[in-house]
Amino acid sequence: MALDQLTSQQAIELEDKHGAHNYHPLPVVLSKGEGVHVWDVEGKKYYDFLSAYSAVNQGHCHPKIVDAMVNQAKTLTLTSRAFHNDMLGKYEKFATELFGFDKILPMNTGAEAVETALKLCRKWAYEVKGLSENQAKIVVCENNFHGRTTTIISFSNDAVARTNFGPFTNGFIKIEYNNLKALEEVLESDSNIAGFLVEPIQGEAGVYVPTEGYLAAAKALCAKHNVLFIADEVQTGIARTGRLLATCGNCSCADKNCSGSPETKPDILILGKAISGGAYPVSAVLANNSIMNVIKPGNHGSTFGGNPVAAAVAMAALEVVQDEKLAENAERLGEIFRAELAEFAKTTDLVLSVRGKGLLNAVLINDTEDSSTAWDICMNLRDNGLLAKPTHGNIIRFAPPLVMTEEQLMDCIAIIKKTISEFKK
Ligand SMILES: *Cc1c(COP(=O)(O)O)cnc(C)c1O
């Protein structure tokens, strides 16, 4: 097989033979991306409606982000944290001012940032809150998705993600998502609780948007019990849901100095994915000094965390979000998307409903969770030039890059309507 010019089929066969089978991708092989579009190796053009699980909010190969990456890569790539570098401090000042926290701890992947937040929360619980050694517990939600490390899957209830990976890490209590009573009960019945880790919208679970006021009330309950309110905004953050952060509540993120809404602002904020615009693995944990200062040299680290390329890329990616008003665009286009699809749902038996916030939306397909209907619809969408993927059986997530125009969105809505209308089981 000539490896310089592969067909899609050949590329898929290579992965199948030589790569671990830890994913089940839609059969499409991409070789180029620009803005809201990607192209396969045969040159067919698609709208990307996954955005690499919301990592590519700024659009594929954004020139400002790519330039920042290339320029920094030519100058200095990695020093490790054994030495200082001249990019990290600049990035830390920029990011902490933008998100309104005293300090940031840079990591690489979302899972690492979640791990960092859990460690930070536990250390705070022993050294500030005063819990006895090894007693700290962290409350999490059912159907959460926070990543793939051994500790994180310890509190997942996805059997596929957990089976035969034990033994697991102790110290987590699972409660129902969007259930304040359950949170209140657990906080009142157990004095060893250090933190509450929550996704502002459960993305992987199928884009579950909690009841209005849930996050603010959850934060207030945490505050009452001296428990840290920890928001995993790896997927919901960076303008995806129509605000710079989903925990911004109703504040206006057109405001450059926005530091979030005090009612929902987390004690610990976890970011990843689009903080780099999908150009580079960058993640971060943000908190104020009263929490972050429990971390001392040697307590935690990462060879690549906070490297000069990551710092340059993340600064450029966050500037793009501001310069191009991506939060405002996501909010406006999201409203159009849901209104159009809700109207369309009335005309077909295949669509039950549409839900979401900003440009993080899901369409519920009218079939059982183990049916292949959503997958088959995604295959037809692919054939019609739009890439999306089912999450949890019968739910299709629609999350395009936030640089989409209204005209492009209307084009995409037409493709979705046509595909579903013509779909036959
Ligand atoms: C994707 C995701 C993660 C994990 O990020 P990785 O970079 O894949 O490790 C964690 N939390 C949420 C909410 C996510 O969507």
Side-chain angles (χ1 to χ4, degrees), residues 84 100 102 116 118 124 198 218 222 266 323 329 343 353 371 395 399 421:
H84 295 277
D102 293 337
T116 302
L118 298 173
W124 170 87
V198 65
C222 288
D323 294 348
N329 198 48
E343 256 330 289
S353 62
S371 77
I395 303 168
S421 303

Side-chain angles (χ1 to χ4, degrees), residues 3 50 74 77 88 133 159 185 231 271 298-299 315 318 389 398 400 415 423:
L3 290 184
L50 186 63
K74 285 180 180 165
T77 57
L88 180 58
E133 203 183 331
E185 272 169 26
L271 295 173
N299 289 158
M315 257 188 294
L318 291 169
K389 218 181 155 210
F398 288 101
I415 295 173
F423 182 79

Side-chain angles (χ1 to χ4, degrees), residues 109-111 145-147 199 232 234-235 273:
T109 66
F145 181 84
H146 296 290
E199 298 159 83
D232 180 348
V234 171
Q235 187 159 157
K273 294 196 168 116

Side-chain angles (χ1 to χ4, degrees), residues 261-282:
S261 150
E263 296 84 57
T264 50
K265 185 175 175 180
D267 299 305
I268 301 179
L269 171 66
I270 306 168
L271 295 173
K273 294 196 168 116
I275 196 173
S276 74
Y280 201 78
V282 181

Side-chain angles (χ1 to χ4, degrees), residues 17-18 20 28 33 112 122 138 187 223 258 280 312 329 374:
K17 178 151 185 237
H18 302 285
V28 59
E112 283 178 320
R122 283 178 167 187
I138 294 175
L187 292 176
C258 169
Y280 201 78
N329 198 48

